[in-house]
Amino acid sequence: MDSNKKQKILNLVGLAQRAGRLVSGEEFVVEAIRKQRVKLVFLANDAAGNLSKKITDKSKTYQVEVVTAFSTLELSAAVGKARKVLAVTDAGFTKKMRSIME
């Protein structure tokens, strides 16, 4: 994915955060996946192995797509907090992000 597309997606992640359509933090994301409120998960490509396994396993169980194209630094900058995992709960944001990623 080129840097222009990455920046567009990160901008949308920030917008989703401000719109209240984003869940961030390991436990909150796992809980939201379990409640089937999550449409798309962003997992930092430099996240620890146990976090990566936990999120990917839970996402696979509930059939949620996981994107690992961003680093912790990029995800954290997009939402203004130190985060390794983010989940989008809005179908509209998810659709736009997927169209950019194609």
Side-chain angles (χ1 to χ4, degrees), residues 25-27 30 43-44 47-57 84-85:
E26 179 183 352
E27 293 305 319
V30 168
L43 178 65
N50 60 344
L51 173 64
S52 296
K53 182 178 178 350
K54 184 178 192 177
I55 297 297
T56 51
D57 288 352
K84 291 184 185 301
V85 62

Side-chain angles (χ1 to χ4, degrees), residues 7-17 93 96-97 100:
Q7 192 56 53
K8 282 183 179 179
I9 292 170
L10 289 171
N11 289 342
L12 277 173
V13 167
L15 190 61
Q17 165 79 14
F93 279 112
K96 181 67 176 168
M97 289 172 186
I100 293 170

Side-chain angles (χ1 to χ4, degrees), residues 32-69:
I33 291 171
R34 200 176 292 130
K35 290 181 177 175
Q36 299 183 342
R37 292 188 353 233
V38 174
K39 311 287 186 237
L40 182 65
V41 173
F42 289 97
L43 178 65
N45 53 21
D46 54 353
N50 60 344
L51 173 64
S52 296
K53 182 178 178 350
K54 184 178 192 177
I55 297 297
T56 51
D57 288 352
K58 194 59 78 178
S59 296
K60 221 173 267 177
T61 302
Y62 291 95
Q63 297 161 355
V64 177
E65 182 183 354
V66 177
V67 177
T68 57

